[in-house]
Amino acid sequence: MKENKILVFNNKNNIDMNLKIVSLPPIQDSTKSTNDVDIDGADGTLTEFNKYTSDIKPVECDYQGNDPDKIVRWLRGKGPVIFGNRPDRFYNAEIVNPIPINQIIENQLYNFLVQFKCQPFGYLLDGQDFRTITNGTILNHNKADYISLPIITIYGTGSCIVTINNRNFTITEIGTSITIDSSIQNCYAGKENKINGPYPYLDIGENLITWTGTGVTKVEIKPNWRCI
């Protein structure tokens, strides 16, 4: 299969920036952080999983043009990055190496490396829009392979109990609307004290979402489907 050598960083792509992509990062799972634990009376060790860690994803580039400052301004800082060999998802990334502008200026055509330090999960692009759901909606995504941390907005008045796959959280006062962001474990507009219970997450596979509360008029959810 021919590799699609496209790079999109902070919503700008390499083609519009007159930059040729020579190679993209290999497709692989995020790196695991583990501990080896000795067990008394048993040979060997037990490996305990801690978490997934950030990875350096290198991109090799060729530049030919007369505005290297434009490239340097683009390839700095933080933002979402999409690699052409995984075009269905973005990674939250930071560029951790300086772009050698002096060598670009001297050579006019120069090969260099950009190192993206990527947070461990890829976020599927089709999980980034809010959708209105009805009571009893089942959400599923056949590519998501890790629990996902949604953003949920509830409209209406009064209180409600929201259930996702038998896990409940309670909103004590909607107050016209309330937004629950599980990725930062917070409610918007100073409503942190209006939620009781654990912040919601979406399982791999099917997620049945129901709620009780006569004052609820609408529920919207941004799934934030993610992959290892």
Side-chain angles (χ1 to χ4, degrees):
M1 181 182 296
K2 185 177 180 180
E3 187 176 279
N4 187 9
K5 292 181 179 178
I6 299 293
L7 173 72
V8 182
F9 179 58
N10 276 331
N11 300 314
K12 295 180 180 179
N13 67 67
N14 64 288
I15 297 175
D16 292 340
M17 303 298 286
N18 296 318
L19 189 71
K20 178 183 177 182
I21 301 302
V22 178
S23 66
L24 291 166
I27 296 176
Q28 59 189 29
D29 286 348
S30 297
T31 301
K32 292 181 179 180
S33 170
T34 59
N35 288 330
D36 287 337
V37 180
D38 289 324
I39 302 173
D40 290 340
D43 295 323
T45 57
L46 175 68
T47 300
E48 289 185 342
F49 170 75
N50 290 327
K51 61 180 180 179
Y52 288 99
T53 65
S54 57
D55 291 298
I56 299 296
K57 297 185 184 295
V59 176
E60 185 182 357
C61 306
D62 275 343
Y63 178 68
Q64 184 174 19
N66 54 12
D67 192 1
D69 287 321
K70 180 180 178 181
I71 297 296
V72 173
R73 287 193 299 269
W74 175 46
L75 296 177
R76 63 160 59 127
K78 301 179 179 180
V81 60
I82 301 173
F83 303 111
N85 52 358
R86 306 209 89 172
D88 61 344
R89 67 199 67 186
F90 72 88
Y91 295 86
N92 290 315
E94 179 179 7
I95 295 176
V96 294
N97 67 310
I99 306 305
I101 184 172
N102 61 312
Q103 297 182 55
I104 297 175
I105 292 173
E106 292 169 3
N107 297 335
Q108 292 188 344
L109 173 61
Y110 183 66
N111 177 275
F112 62 94
L113 198 67
V114 184
Q115 294 181 327
F116 290 90
K117 184 178 182 179
C118 295
Q119 296 303 312
F121 302 108
Y123 291 84
L124 295 167
L125 298 179
D126 58 2
Q128 293 303 300
D129 294 326
F130 278 94
R131 55 172 291 187
T132 301
I133 60 173
T134 57
N135 204 338
T137 291
I138 295 177
L139 294 183
N140 189 11
H141 198 295
N142 59 11
K143 284 188 179 181
D145 59 9
Y146 199 75
I147 61 171
S148 299
L149 304 177
I151 299 175
I152 301 173
T153 300
I154 303 168
Y155 298 86
T157 58
S159 62
C160 68
I161 299 174
V162 179
T163 303
I164 302 178
N165 285 355
N166 298 316
R167 298 182 298 271
N168 302 324
F169 67 92
T170 301
I171 300 299
T172 57
E173 177 55 52
I174 299 171
T176 305
S177 71
I178 184 170
T179 297
I180 301 99
D181 189 339
S182 293
S183 64
I184 59 173
Q185 296 203 359
N186 207 345
C187 293
Y188 296 166
K191 295 182 177 181
E192 297 88 350
N193 62 339
K194 303 298 183 183
I195 181 172
N196 292 324
Y199 277 83
Y201 63 87
L202 300 178
D203 291 306
I204 302 169
E206 292 188 348
N207 292 268
L208 173 63
I209 305 175
T210 60
W211 59 84
T212 61
T214 58
V216 177
T217 58
K218 184 171 69 169
V219 175
E220 295 178 336
I221 185 168
K222 177 182 174 181
N224 279 329
W225 301 116
R226 59 184 185 171
C227 303
I228 299 171

